[in-house]
């Protein structure tokens, strides 16, 4: 298994736009050809052939917000969430992740985050990460946000927290400073230079971001506020941001019930003027804590997120009437654009990485290829991390 050449036949391809039934040839982890019929490879010993019999083939998912080293800790050291394992990620159709720190920027170090991202990439998927955490000045490795991004792959941007009682309460000028350093680092390293903004439910909402856009020349695309389904006010402010050319990220639920609520909210947003999945992304917040606070700011409960709710939300959106090709943009082409990887990730196209997700007639995950390597076959996990049982 996992020969360098793979021929995938009779697939209903979503690129994410629907292409109809196609054959797809993969060579050395890249998509080499997409045609109605590809002949001449059957029976060759160095070629693996997969007949999908009309199952759907789409790009592997990109998760723009995953706590790959674990999150949590708001109820003390015993409440820290364990690190992610490879098969926990791939079993949910995810082939690319953006790892970041959460509330805890002390015991969850940047050094560990970089090592974990590199480990996941070695094990078979693609992992990037962000410098920084909730507080300012940002926790870094080199002492500089700009230098971290420029000198330490796989760092491609910065994480901060805004309008949250656990944050440093950054205002517009501080956001301009962080955004400028991040953009310079991204330009010098030819990476995204993305500032991911954890959004709390504080009264400031997106005010610091709108200030930064009004008082600097940093493009709106360099900022990605996340957890934007948290309140109706944040949803409305996110729509204002999109109408200014920006993007925002929405967190999939952490239970079946709030996953369905989130799908309803996404459908509502998409009904608003000027809104489309071309400027919206969805992420899991996987392995990050989901604390519950009372009115006094005391943590009264804590659980953590699972990446499984990404695909479950896609299925829910389709059930609610959103075309599959529109729904999967939230996890494919739009995040790829923000990562600076359009044409490489988040698409089924010649020259792209062969990150390919196969869905059956019920839209359940059947198989998965990560950079051409078979990770799941007919619901059986093939690719595992080194220390997985």
């Amino acid at each position: 298994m996992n020969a360098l050449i793979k021929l995938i036949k009779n697939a209903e391809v979503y690129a994410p736009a629907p292409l109809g039934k196609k054959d797809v040839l993969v060579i050395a982890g890249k998509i080499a050809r997409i045609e109605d019929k590809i002949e001449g490879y059957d029976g060759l010993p160095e070629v693996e052939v997969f007949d999908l019999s009309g199952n759907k083939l789409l790009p592997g998912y990109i998760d723009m917000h995953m706590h790959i080293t674990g999150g949590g800790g708001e109820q003390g050291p015993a409440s820290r969430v364990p690190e992610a394992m490879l098969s926990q990620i791939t079993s949910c159709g995810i082939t690319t992740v953006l790892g970041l720190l959460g509330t805890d920027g002390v015991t969850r170090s940047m050094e560990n985050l970089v090592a974990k991202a590199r480990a996941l990439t070695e094990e078979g998927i693609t992992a990037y990460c962000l410098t920084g955490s909730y507080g300012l000045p940002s926790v870094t490795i080199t002492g500089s946000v700009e230098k971290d991004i420029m000198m330490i792959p796989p760092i491609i941007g910065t994480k901060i927290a805004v309008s949250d009682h656990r944050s440093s309460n950054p205002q517009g000028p501080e956001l301009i400073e962080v955004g400028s350093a991040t953009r310079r680092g991204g330009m010098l390293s030819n990476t995204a230079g993305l500032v991911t903004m954890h959004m709390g439910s504080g009264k400031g909402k997106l005010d610091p971001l709108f200030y930064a856009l009004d008082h600097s020349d940093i493009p709106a695309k360099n900022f990605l506020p996340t957890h934007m389904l948290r309140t109706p006010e944040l949803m409305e402010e996110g729509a204002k941001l999109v109408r200014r050319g920006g993007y925002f990220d929405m967190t999939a639920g952490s239970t079946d019930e709030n996953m369905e609520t989130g799908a309803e909210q996404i459908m509502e947003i998409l009904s608003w003027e000027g809104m489309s999945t071309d400027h919206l992304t969805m992420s899991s917040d996987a392995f990050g804590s989901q604390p519950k606070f009372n009115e006094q700011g005391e943590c009264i409960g804590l659980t953590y997120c699972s990446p499984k709710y990404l695909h479950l939300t896609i299925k829910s959106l389709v059930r609610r009437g959103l075309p599959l090709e529109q729904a999967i943009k939230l996890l494919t082409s739009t995040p790829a654009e923000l990562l600076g990887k359009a044409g490489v990730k988040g698409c089924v196209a010649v020259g792209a990485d062969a990150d390919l997700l196969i869905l059956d007639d019920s839209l359940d995950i059947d198989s998965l290829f990560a950079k051409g390597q078979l990770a799941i076959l007919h619901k059986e996990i093939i690719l595992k991390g080194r220390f997985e049982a």
Side-chain angles (χ1 to χ4, degrees):
M1 278 198 178
N2 281 322
L4 288 179
I5 302 176
K6 296 177 176 67
L7 178 59
I8 303 170
K9 299 178 70 68
N10 302 313
E12 291 290 340
V13 175
Y14 288 76
L19 302 182
K21 187 174 287 189
K22 300 288 182 181
D23 290 354
V24 178
L25 183 68
V26 173
I27 299 178
K30 296 281 189 179
I31 298 173
R33 293 168 62 188
I34 303 172
E35 298 176 13
D36 292 342
K37 290 290 181 181
I38 297 177
E39 307 288 354
Y41 289 87
D42 295 54
L44 296 178
E46 66 272 21
V47 179
E48 290 180 86
V49 179
F50 302 85
D51 191 338
L52 298 194
S53 300
N55 281 356
K56 293 174 174 57
L57 177 72
L58 45 143
Y61 292 152
I62 300 171
D63 191 340
M64 293 287 284
H65 193 117
M66 183 180 288
H67 296 276
I68 56 177
T69 57
E74 285 95 338
Q75 288 186 319
S79 66
R80 301 192 315 155
V81 181
E83 289 192 1
M85 293 187 291
L86 179 68
S87 67
Q88 291 176 300
I89 298 171
T90 56
S91 63
C92 302
I94 301 164
T95 53
T96 301
V97 297
L98 181 58
L100 37 68
L101 298 180
T103 312
D104 183 2
V106 179
T107 69
R108 306 292 193 177
S109 70
M110 278 302 308
E111 289 82 356
N112 187 35
L113 181 65
V114 167
K116 181 65 175 180
R118 291 174 61 184
L120 288 171
T121 298
E122 287 180 15
E123 288 178 331
I125 64 171
T126 302
Y128 307 103
C129 63
L130 301 175
T131 193
S133 180
Y134 268 41
L136 290 176
S138 296
V139 294
T140 63
I141 294 176
T142 65
S144 159
V145 162
E146 183 177 354
K147 193 178 293 185
D148 271 15
I149 297 168
M150 183 177 177
M151 302 303 296
I152 305 177
I155 298 175
I156 57 101
T158 307
K159 156 76 178 287
I160 62 170
V162 178
S163 298
D164 190 292
H165 62 89
R166 296 164 290 176
S167 74
S168 297
N169 196 30
Q171 299 303 302
E174 290 88 359
L175 192 55
I176 290 173
E177 183 177 356
V178 172
S180 297
T182 301
R183 178 164 169 77
R184 285 196 307 272
M187 294 175 69
L188 292 170
S189 60
N190 194 28
T191 59
L194 184 68
V195 179
T196 292
M197 300 167 52
H198 161 101
M199 295 305 305
S201 53
K203 58 185 178 182
K205 302 187 287 294
L206 287 185
D207 287 351
L209 176 52
F210 289 130
Y211 178 97
L213 296 179
D214 290 338
H215 294 84
S216 78
D217 297 313
I218 305 171
K221 187 179 179 180
N222 285 91
F223 296 99
L224 183 66
T226 188
H227 311 317
M228 292 292 287
L229 300 181
R230 193 184 296 276
T231 67
E233 293 78 15
L234 275 178
M235 291 165 57
E236 292 171 1
E237 294 229 319
K240 293 178 185 177
L241 178 62
V242 169
R243 292 180 189 120
R244 296 183 62 165
Y247 297 71
F248 71 84
D249 182 68
M250 304 167 292
T251 307
S254 56
T255 67
D256 291 350
E257 182 179 4
N258 62 31
M259 181 273 293
E260 294 291 356
T261 299
E264 289 180 11
Q265 291 173 303
I266 293 171
M267 293 299 289
E268 178 186 353
I269 289 169
L270 290 172
S271 72
W272 297 346
E273 182 182 356
M275 305 302 291
S276 79
T277 52
D278 289 331
H279 280 254
L280 306 177
T281 63
M282 181 171 61
S283 62
S284 70
D285 202 14
F287 313 104
S289 64
Q290 287 286 292
K292 296 180 181 179
F293 296 97
N294 61 21
E295 293 180 358
Q296 290 73 44
E298 299 167 332
C299 186
I300 58 174
L302 187 148
T303 183
Y304 70 92
C305 299
S306 167
K308 71 179 183 179
Y309 286 106
L310 288 180
H311 184 63
L312 290 175
T313 303
I314 294 296
K315 291 182 65 177
S316 181
L317 291 171
V318 173
R319 286 197 305 270
R320 294 167 190 274
L322 188 65
L324 178 62
E325 60 267 27
Q326 292 298 319
I328 62 174
K329 284 184 178 182
L330 296 167
L331 296 174
T332 59
S333 57
T334 305
E337 180 71 24
L338 287 169
L339 289 175
K341 296 296 180 179
V344 178
K345 297 290 187 183
C347 63
V348 180
V350 173
D353 286 352
D355 296 333
L356 304 172
L357 174 60
I358 292 100
L359 306 183
D360 63 19
D361 289 341
S362 300
L363 297 188
D364 290 328
I365 293 172
D366 178 84
S367 301
L368 181 74
F369 297 87
K371 292 180 290 189
Q373 187 174 8
L374 189 62
I376 302 172
L377 181 62
H378 305 319
K379 298 181 171 60
E380 179 185 355
I381 295 174
I382 305 299
L383 182 64
K384 294 184 178 181
R386 177 172 294 188
F387 298 108
E388 293 191 57

